[in-house]
Amino acid sequence: MSTTGSSNPEYVNARVRARRAALFNDDEYRKLVRMGPAEIARYMEESEYKREINELGSRHSGVDLIEYSLNRNLAKHFNDLLGFSEGRIYDLIARYLRKFDAWNIKTVLRGVYSEASREEIDTDLIRAGEFDESFINRLLEASTIEDVITTLDGTIFGDPLEAAFEDFEETGVLVPLENAVDRTFYEELLADLPSSEPIDLYREFLEAEIDFRNARNALRLARSGTDIDPADYFIEGGQLFKARELDALVQDPEQLLTRIRDSSYGRELSGPLDELEAADSLIEFEHALESVLLKYSRRLGNVYPLSICPIIAYILMKEREVENIRAIARGREAGLSETEIEQELVIL
Amino acid sequence: MSLELASEFGNVVLQAGEAGGPALSELGAAAIAVGLAAFGAGYSQRAIGAAAVGAMAENEDLFARGLILTVLPETLVILALLVVILLL
């Protein structure tokens, strides 16, 4: 578990492939959609999630049990990934998994801001990133926003957060801090990537992810009709948009859609874009974006079987599985019909 | 360092040449052939072995299959030995 020394992509890929085979397939989803929360928990107990369900079964129940087990299982797998990878491959995986560090920091910030108890914050964390247990405990012990930021000093998030802290003190809302965390994550993601053919494709994939995120934010802003400055939410590093143009594009949704259609993603997205124009439903378009990204990562994994690409594909698929099961469980709890739940799922 | 060694090696070859016979005896050439083949096999086994151990860590039933895949490149060395024995 270090960034120096030789890399072991073969070993990591062999393990990742075995784990990928353990993910739920369409048939299992179809079965799950017809079950109630208790049945889903029982079904999960007989699968990959056995240990987590048993561990958490005494403390939580119903949909909460499912959700916390899912998160814990996700964290276990991703920690394993970081644990057995070495050298360059570790660096590449860690870059992506810092997403969860960012998530945890935001959760802690929000928890401290809303004065939630330590246990409440604790259950919402996903311990999948690079931060280890003792560091997360130190974060949880912080009682003010300032403490949290001081604790983060020395990590990649330290300096940007300190810079954003002034804004926070002036405005009293968390948005500047959260934006600083997100932006640092994406900047670090693409910074100093070494150059080789699979890694160039990896970079292209990350850029696509950033583009899609920007597109989604822009569409949401355009829909909501609020006067928030889109540049605040803009993430650098993508190919599709520039910060300057985004403002004009958000004002004019037609032009925004044309822009996406004319881009290099146009071919894959043309179906969903037509639907978006016809049905006016943003959710389906967002799901379509996700599935395009998933397919993209899977294809990369097939092109370069012994590189970072299949590992990233696995990470995405695992995240997707967790979200799908959560959607099923929450949907069943809320009494949605099977077709409505199926619309919420992203299955390849 | 390696340059010095190379010139040293050159000297040895030249001296051997002055003595009349070829620079490399047949036995020496055979040794290099087998050695290179073994090096190639070892290099490929590095990756296969790592992957096989990874697969075994996930599922112990794969031990036999992993073992077979790991020793497959060994055939390279056997082929080289065969060629050398036939030629000598």
Side-chain angles (χ1 to χ4, degrees):
Chain A
M1 195 177 132
S2 67
T3 47
T4 52
S6 63
S7 170
N8 57 350
E10 299 90 0
Y11 179 76
V12 181
N13 266 305
R15 299 202 67 163
V16 161
R17 259 159 214 279
R19 283 165 196 231
R20 199 166 124 175
L23 294 175
F24 288 159
N25 55 27
D26 316 7
D27 287 344
E28 285 173 298
Y29 280 130
R30 232 161 269 142
K31 258 186 250 164
L32 283 171
V33 169
R34 276 185 239 111
M35 296 180 185
E39 283 170 286
I40 296 178
R42 208 169 311 131
Y43 189 81
M44 282 165 64
E45 202 183 336
E46 284 156 20
S47 71
E48 174 59 30
Y49 297 92
K50 184 176 177 199
R51 226 176 90 198
E52 287 76 18
I53 293 267
N54 287 335
E55 274 173 10
L56 295 167
S58 56
R59 269 194 285 155
H60 304 284
S61 65
V63 183
D64 283 345
L65 172 64
I66 296 174
E67 185 155 351
Y68 294 136
S69 321
L70 287 171
N71 283 349
R72 193 176 274 207
N73 186 272
L74 179 92
K76 184 186 85 181
H77 281 296
F78 291 174
N79 264 326
D80 284 356
L81 273 187
L82 287 177
F84 51 60
S85 57
E86 278 165 18
R88 178 189 280 181
I89 205 104
Y90 173 86
D91 175 48
L92 292 175
I93 298 175
R95 271 168 199 269
Y96 197 77
L97 290 184
R98 284 201 195 112
K99 185 197 262 183
F100 294 98
D101 288 339
W103 163 275
N104 286 342
I105 294 174
K106 283 193 283 184
T107 310
V108 171
L109 285 175
R110 281 179 200 161
V112 171
Y113 186 71
S114 62
E115 287 163 14
S117 73
R118 192 195 147 125
E119 282 74 40
E120 279 173 326
I121 306 176
D122 199 358
T123 43
D124 284 331
L125 296 184
I126 303 177
R127 295 157 192 266
E130 221 186 1
F131 294 165
D132 57 18
E133 198 69 12
S134 64
F135 189 80
I136 288 185
N137 283 335
R138 267 168 54 212
L139 272 183
L140 283 169
E141 270 155 29
S143 53
T144 62
I145 301 269
E146 207 169 356
D147 282 350
V148 177
I149 295 174
T150 331
T151 317
L152 287 168
D153 198 28
T155 66
I156 53 164
F157 299 101
D159 292 339
L161 272 177
E162 254 168 57
F165 186 63
E166 275 175 32
D167 276 354
F168 165 73
E169 278 189 318
E170 274 170 30
T171 55
V173 290
L174 280 178
V175 177
L177 293 178
E178 291 183 355
N179 278 345
V181 172
D182 279 339
R183 233 178 250 165
T184 321
F185 165 67
Y186 281 106
E187 273 164 24
E188 284 292 316
L189 195 59
L190 290 171
D192 319 317
L193 266 181
S195 185
S196 71
E197 206 172 337
I199 292 176
D200 286 343
L201 283 177
Y202 176 55
R203 179 184 297 125
E204 251 173 54
F205 164 75
L206 293 178
E207 281 169 358
E209 185 173 334
I210 293 178
D211 279 339
F212 284 2
R213 192 151 292 244
N214 279 333
R216 205 169 61 185
N217 285 345
L219 280 168
R220 279 186 189 168
L221 283 175
R223 282 298 148 102
S224 66
T226 48
D227 54 351
I228 307 171
D229 183 10
D232 278 351
Y233 293 92
F234 181 73
I235 304 160
E236 290 285 340
Q239 302 288 330
L240 189 54
F241 302 111
K242 300 267 173 296
R244 278 173 280 115
E245 315 160 333
L246 203 61
D247 203 17
L249 286 175
V250 168
Q251 303 299 331
D252 186 0
E254 286 291 310
Q255 209 190 333
L256 181 64
L257 289 181
T258 326
R259 180 62 173 273
I260 300 176
R261 203 184 282 276
D262 292 343
S263 70
S264 51
Y265 312 112
R267 202 161 49 99
E268 279 127 346
L269 287 176
S270 68
L273 276 171
D274 290 340
E275 260 174 52
L276 178 69
E277 274 168 356
D280 226 38
S281 148
L282 201 52
I283 294 179
E284 285 193 14
F285 184 69
E286 288 182 10
H287 286 326
L289 282 182
E290 293 228 17
S291 80
V292 167
L293 205 59
L294 260 180
K295 275 187 204 142
Y296 187 31
S297 70
R298 275 235 300 223
R299 209 181 62 223
L300 284 187
N302 291 336
V303 177
Y304 286 103
L306 284 183
S307 67
I308 177 72
C309 300
I311 303 173
I312 290 299
Y314 167 73
I315 294 178
L316 281 185
M317 285 165 83
K318 182 78 191 170
E319 279 183 290
R320 215 40 250 179
E321 176 179 287
V322 165
E323 279 182 21
N324 279 344
I325 299 179
R326 182 185 299 144
I328 293 174
R330 291 274 176 218
R332 291 307 293 195
E333 191 194 29
L336 296 181
S337 74
E338 282 168 28
T339 30
E340 278 171 316
I341 297 177
E342 266 167 27
Q343 276 177 353
E344 290 295 316
L345 305 182
V346 179
I347 305 172
L348 283 186
Chain B
M1 177 69 190
S2 58
L3 267 180
E4 284 169 30
L5 274 182
S7 64
E8 198 69 12
F9 181 68
N11 281 341
V12 171
V13 171
L14 282 177
Q15 278 161 14
E18 278 162 21
L24 206 54
S25 69
E26 278 184 11
L27 268 179
I32 290 179
V34 176
L36 283 178
F39 181 80
Y43 184 75
S44 57
Q45 277 176 344
R46 166 192 166 273
I48 301 173
V53 171
M56 271 177 233
E58 291 296 325
N59 181 1
E60 279 181 37
D61 300 342
L62 291 175
F63 177 74
R65 210 173 298 175
L67 193 71
I68 292 171
L69 289 175
T70 314
V71 297
L72 267 187
E74 214 66 51
T75 50
L76 277 180
V77 191
I78 297 172
L79 273 179
L81 273 177
L82 195 74
V83 169
V84 163
I85 290 170
L86 283 180
L87 284 182
L88 275 183

